[in-house]
Amino acid sequence: KLGARVIFVQPQYSPKAAQTLATQLDAVVVPLNPLPEKYFEEMRSLTDSIQYHLGSPGSDGKRSSEISREPPQ
């Protein structure tokens, strides 16, 4: 009903409930680690993933709705 497309989870917790919910919503589960070992190096990856999955334009100007549901590498 609300159009949820993605569920963000922290790797410190079990993703089982999020995966069950994602199946029901036809959404994807995306792990985001807010406490990485290499904090500053990994924050770029975290922000890229959030932008991609929430539909913000990426560096190529495309929105996530214009590309596949697979996250950027």
Side-chain angles (χ1 to χ4, degrees):
K1 291 181 182 181
L2 298 176
R5 302 178 312 215
V6 61
I7 299 172
F8 295 105
V9 296
Q10 294 180 348
Q12 296 86 349
Y13 302 99
S14 172
K16 289 180 183 180
Q19 290 169 337
T20 300
L21 184 59
T23 299
Q24 296 297 315
L25 297 174
D26 191 31
V28 294
V29 175
V30 177
L32 291 181
N33 187 2
L35 304 170
E37 278 186 45
K38 297 178 181 179
Y39 184 82
F40 292 107
E41 293 175 21
E42 295 185 31
M43 283 298 106
R44 181 65 166 159
S45 174
L46 186 138
T47 57
D48 287 347
S49 184
I50 290 172
Q51 285 180 331
Y52 173 83
H53 287 287
L54 294 182
S56 297
S59 59
D60 60 0
K62 292 184 178 180
R63 293 187 175 275
S64 62
S65 60
E66 299 171 340
I67 52 181
S68 75
R69 290 174 62 149
E70 294 299 315
Q73 298 297 321

